[in-house]
Amino acid sequence: TQSTWGTRSQQRRLWRRWELVVLMQRYLLVIQYMGTAFIGWQRQRSRNYESVQGVIEAAVKQFIGSEVSVVVSSRTDAGVNALRNTAHIDLIRTDKMGAVLPPLPPQAVRAALNNNLLEHPVAISDVYPVSPDFSARFCATKRRYVYRVETGCQVWRHAVFSRGRSWMMKETLDVSAMKAACEVFIGRHDFTAFRSSRCQAKSPVKRIQTLRIEEVTACFPGLCSSSATSHQVLHIVTEAPSFLYNQVRLIVATLVAVGRGQMTVEDVKHILHTRQRSKVPALAPAEGLYLDNVMYEAKWFKHLPAHEFDLLEFADRIDLTLDVEDDQSSTDNNTDNSTDNSTDN
C-alpha cells in the first residue's frame, strides 16, 4: 500500500536509516603514541610502513568488524610524538541479526581498542561520547606543542633513554638569549620563512599565542655523572589555534641557533620581516617534538549524561575553560557535543 511516506518497503528502509543515524554514537578519542615507530599519522597506500591512523583503524575494525574512518585533530609528521592528540570515530553497535543496539559505554570502547593496540606504541588514554556534529578537527580552538632539548653531560652519546625522545647535543645553550628571541615570534605574523616548501596552507599568516622555554629536571638525572653540571633539559612550549607545516620545528631550530650564538635576536627579527626562508637553520629533528594537547570550548561538553562523563575531570585533562551551570538537569539524559581540529608539523 502507498502512503505519504511511500510503500511499506520504502518505509522500512527509511526507518532503518533513521535508526542507524539516531543510534550511531560519535566518540572522542584521546591518543598518545611514540612517533618514531611510524611514518606519521596519516594512512598510506603502501602496506610496508605503518601509520598511527592505520593501526588505530585496524584496531577499530577488529573490535566492531567493519571499516571506520578515524578523523584526527592534528596530523603529526613522521617521528613526531603525541601525549594527547584527539580524534573522533562513529560506531554503530549491532547484534548477530543486524539489529541496532544502544551505544557502548566509553570505558568499553577504550578497553577494547587498547587490547587491540598492545603490539604498537599507541594507547587510547580516554574516550568520551560526543554529539554527531562534533568534529575533532574543526572544533579545536588551540593546540600546544612541546619540543624537548637535552644538552651537555655527553647525552648526545650516552643517554640511551633519551634517544628518539629529545634533540640531544653536546654544547649548552644560552637560555636567556633564546627567551629573548621567543618574544619575536609571539603575535600575528607572516611566517613564510618558517614553513616547509610542501606546506599547502593558503595563507602563511598565523598567530602564536605562547612561546616560552622551561628549564626542567631530567627524567633520569642519575644517568649523568655527579661532576657534570652542564646538563640542560629544555622544554620549548608553543600554543596557537593552528600551525603551518614544519613551523614549530623551524622555530625551534632558530631558537637553538640563537642559544648556540650562531644568530642574534636582531637576525631573527630580520628573517621574520623579510621572509627569507634560506636564512632559517635546518629543520629540528622530529623526535624531540610532542603534541602536548588539543583544546576545545566547554560548550561542546556541557550536556553529557552524568553517569557516563565527569566534565570536571575531563576539563582538567584537556584544558577546557568551564562555565558550569547550576541547572542539574543539564547533565541528565542529554547528548553531548564535541569537536576537533587538525594541523601538520
Side-chain angles (χ1 to χ4, degrees):
T1 60
Q2 184 80 26
S3 72
T4 55
W5 296 97
T7 64
R8 289 185 178 179
S9 176
Q10 290 172 331
Q11 289 177 28
R12 284 195 294 269
R13 287 197 297 269
L14 183 63
W15 171 261
R16 175 67 173 173
R17 187 178 304 170
W18 176 87
E19 185 181 37
L20 291 175
V21 171
V22 170
L23 294 179
M24 179 191 74
Q25 178 61 62
R26 179 162 290 186
Y27 296 93
L28 171 67
L29 310 180
V30 182
I31 311 163
Q32 56 183 254
Y33 50 86
M34 286 297 302
T36 49
F38 301 98
I39 58 170
W41 167 269
Q42 196 160 346
R43 182 196 324 108
Q44 304 292 327
R45 291 181 179 179
S46 172
R47 296 186 178 181
N48 297 326
Y49 304 98
E50 287 188 329
S51 66
V52 183
Q53 182 183 16
V55 299
I56 293 177
E57 289 181 344
V60 175
K61 183 178 181 180
Q62 186 179 351
F63 172 38
I64 65 170
S66 60
E67 301 278 354
V68 171
S69 294
V70 178
V71 182
V72 74
S73 65
S74 302
R75 299 184 305 258
T76 52
D77 211 353
V80 176
N81 309 294
L83 302 176
R84 283 178 294 271
N85 201 348
T86 57
H88 74 254
I89 58 173
D90 296 326
L91 299 183
I92 299 176
R93 184 186 177 202
T94 59
D95 61 18
K96 294 181 179 180
M97 303 300 293
V100 180
L101 302 174
L104 284 164
Q107 299 88 341
V109 175
R110 181 180 64 180
L113 295 184
N114 280 329
N115 184 64
N116 296 338
L117 289 168
L118 290 175
E119 296 180 359
H120 306 281
V122 181
I124 309 300
S125 55
D126 289 296
V127 177
Y128 301 104
V130 294
S131 67
D133 58 345
F134 174 86
S135 167
R137 178 180 179 183
F138 295 111
C139 295
T141 59
K142 187 190 299 184
R143 295 164 177 80
R144 180 193 303 134
Y145 282 90
V146 175
Y147 196 99
R148 184 177 173 88
V149 178
E150 288 193 54
T151 73
C153 194
Q154 296 191 345
V155 293
W156 84 101
R157 183 178 297 170
H158 301 305
V160 174
F161 293 100
S162 294
R163 293 176 189 168
R165 295 170 174 82
S166 303
W167 184 4
M168 298 185 292
M169 57 192 70
K170 179 180 179 179
E171 66 271 38
T172 56
L173 301 175
D174 184 344
V175 179
S176 297
M178 294 171 69
K179 289 180 177 180
C182 285
E183 298 298 322
V184 176
F185 293 104
I186 295 176
R188 186 178 179 87
H189 302 286
D190 183 331
F191 284 95
T192 295
F194 295 91
R195 67 168 176 172
S196 168
S197 59
R198 295 184 295 158
C199 181
Q200 299 178 355
K202 294 180 180 179
S203 171
V205 177
K206 293 293 179 181
R207 179 167 58 92
I208 300 293
Q209 296 167 304
T210 299
L211 182 60
R212 65 178 184 271
I213 297 177
E214 300 174 351
E215 299 180 68
V216 300
T217 57
C219 292
F220 306 100
L223 295 180
C224 292
S225 64
S226 57
S227 60
T229 59
S230 59
H231 185 215
Q232 289 178 311
V233 181
L234 306 177
H235 285 179
I236 302 173
V237 183
T238 183
E239 295 180 348
S242 63
F243 295 88
L244 300 167
Y245 186 48
N246 287 159
Q247 181 182 0
V248 175
R249 290 163 62 190
L250 287 167
I251 289 175
V252 168
T254 302
L255 293 176
V256 169
V258 172
R260 285 170 164 168
Q262 298 169 344
M263 297 176 66
T264 66
V265 175
E266 291 303 316
D267 292 334
V268 177
K269 292 179 181 179
H270 179 73
I271 292 171
L272 184 63
H273 294 154
T274 59
R275 302 188 289 277
Q276 291 180 291
R277 174 68 179 84
S278 60
K279 301 294 185 179
V280 178
L283 198 63
E287 59 262 25
L289 184 60
Y290 295 77
L291 174 56
D292 182 53
N293 212 346
V294 181
M295 286 149 268
Y296 301 93
E297 292 182 75
K299 67 178 182 180
W300 297 108
F301 305 94
K302 282 185 177 179
H303 305 296
L304 295 168
H307 66 282
E308 291 184 352
F309 189 88
D310 185 339
L311 178 60
L312 294 175
E313 179 184 1
F314 180 69
D316 181 63
R317 296 188 187 192
I318 212 153
D319 285 7
L320 292 178
T321 303
L322 286 178
D323 181 16
V324 180
E325 299 176 349
D326 293 331
D327 184 6
Q328 190 64 31
S329 63
S330 66
T331 60
D332 295 335
N333 303 320
N334 290 321
T335 57
D336 106 68
N337 298 354
S338 16
T339 35
D340 27 316
N341 285 7
S342 63
T343 51
D344 299 342
N345 263 291

